[in-house]
Amino acid sequence: MPHVVVYSSDYCPYCSRAKFLLKNKGVAFEEIKVDGKPQLRAEMTQKAGRTSVPQIWIGSTHVGGCDDLFALDRAGKLDAMLKA
């Protein structure tokens, strides 16, 4: 299973939804909280090209945010990415 990274914020409902989906699929992930940490948020923004949370990577692939993660799941592509 590839390494999964989620940049998140404590009070973000989209972060909670994305983490819930991953947990329901039995996926262990590294969570990097950017609350009050401008250096971590800047790192995330540089990597993702986006400033919003969550930002999710599966292995070296930037999935995007919560809506992107759920779209992959609806399309039947998420499970394959998680097993690669």
Side-chain angles (χ1 to χ4, degrees), residues 56-75:
I56 304 157
W57 278 262
I58 298 175
S60 61
T61 302
H62 178 236
V63 170
C66 179
D67 291 343
D68 302 307
L69 185 70
F70 273 84
L72 280 174
D73 192 42
R74 281 191 305 274

Side-chain angles (χ1 to χ4, degrees), residues 22-50:
L22 292 170
K23 287 177 186 172
N24 267 0
K25 291 188 169 288
V27 176
F29 56 88
E30 176 185 358
E31 181 177 11
I32 301 173
K33 294 186 180 183
V34 298
D35 295 313
K37 298 175 182 166
Q39 187 172 5
L40 282 178
R41 187 176 284 271
E43 173 187 296
M44 175 198 77
T45 301
Q46 180 190 13
K47 288 180 180 178
R50 298 181 185 178

Side-chain angles (χ1 to χ4, degrees), residues 7-29:
Y7 282 82
S8 70
S9 177
D10 279 335
Y11 302 104
C12 165
Y14 296 102
C15 298
S16 297
R17 286 186 64 219
K19 293 185 293 186
F20 182 79
L21 176 60
L22 292 170
K23 287 177 186 172
N24 267 0
K25 291 188 169 288
V27 176
F29 56 88

